Amino acid sequence: MTNSYAHFERNRRVVETGVFLALFWGLGYAFLYVPNVEFILFVAFLSGLLLGWIRGVFVAFLGELVFSVANPMGSGLAYPPMLAAQLLGFILVASAGFWLRPVIRGIRQEKKILISLFGAGGLLLTFVYDSLTSLAFPLASGFTGAQIWAAYLSGLPFYGIHILSNTLIFAILGPVLVQFVTKKYPHYLAS
């Protein structure tokens, strides 16, 4: 019976990982043509939160790798430093989901605190991601310090909208999903 359970558990984990990857790619491509609005950072965060560090990072890394390389707006293979920055950013986002798991588990019934935590997480993680990807080109191209700052600052309107949209996405969807998972699938946030 234990062998059967181990087989079931392994299959469940594979299916969960596949579902998160499908969600990542489905939402990524669905919102591809909506400027500055995306849900894939949120999916990467959730994968770390609900699946754990190894599977969360796997979903974030593979999800972003395929999404970036097979992007109809331009393949990430055209500029490897940008692709590396994107992958590093997504690994950090999934890791943050995992690192915040004990905190979220402890406050999952406190909706106002969850809204604040998820909103702050969305803001900070999007800022870090945008900074990494925005600095990848000028740093890899050998820009001077002034040129790097000029390139970085020129993207502020884009970052602002992206940060605002992700702050709202995290703050609105995060608490709702945590409370849903707590009621229907408590094993994801169990100690």
Side-chain angles (χ1 to χ4, degrees):
M1 194 162 290
T2 38
N3 199 15
S4 233
Y5 179 76
H7 183 69
F8 169 79
E9 187 64 23
R10 184 176 61 247
N11 287 344
R12 182 180 62 82
R13 295 169 67 84
V14 168
V15 169
E16 289 168 347
T17 305
V19 166
F20 270 84
L21 281 168
L23 185 62
F24 189 106
W25 293 322
L27 287 171
Y29 289 113
F31 284 87
L32 186 64
Y33 296 106
V34 180
N36 305 323
V37 177
E38 52 82 12
F39 286 82
I40 57 179
L41 279 175
F42 182 65
V43 173
F45 182 85
L46 283 180
S47 68
L49 175 67
L50 299 177
L51 301 180
W53 189 77
I54 292 172
R55 288 190 301 148
V57 166
F58 177 79
V59 166
F61 182 86
L62 183 60
E64 180 57 15
L65 180 65
V66 170
F67 180 72
S68 183
V69 168
N71 194 318
M73 307 260 305
S75 175
L77 293 175
Y79 198 69
M82 176 66 75
L83 179 60
Q86 290 170 329
L87 294 173
L88 175 60
F90 272 88
I91 288 169
L92 290 173
V93 170
S95 296
F98 173 72
W99 293 327
L100 286 173
R101 184 181 182 148
V103 174
I104 291 170
R105 185 183 309 134
I107 61 168
R108 63 183 153 199
Q109 302 303 328
E110 306 293 331
K111 191 166 185 177
K112 289 180 183 178
I113 297 172
L114 279 175
I115 290 169
S116 298
L117 179 66
F118 271 95
L123 186 148
L124 181 63
L125 292 170
T126 306
F127 173 76
V128 169
Y129 176 80
D130 284 347
S131 295
L132 285 170
T133 57
S134 297
L135 292 171
F137 176 77
L139 286 172
S141 298
F143 283 24
T144 66
Q147 291 169 325
I148 290 170
W149 275 111
Y152 182 74
L153 294 175
S154 69
L156 282 178
F158 172 82
Y159 316 144
I161 296 168
H162 190 217
I163 289 169
L164 176 62
S165 70
N166 268 358
T167 299
L168 292 172
I169 288 167
F170 274 66
I172 293 168
L173 294 180
V176 170
L177 288 173
V178 164
Q179 291 183 337
F180 176 78
V181 165
T182 297
K183 287 178 186 168
K184 301 288 184 179
Y185 305 99
H187 65 280
Y188 284 110
L189 291 172
S191 344

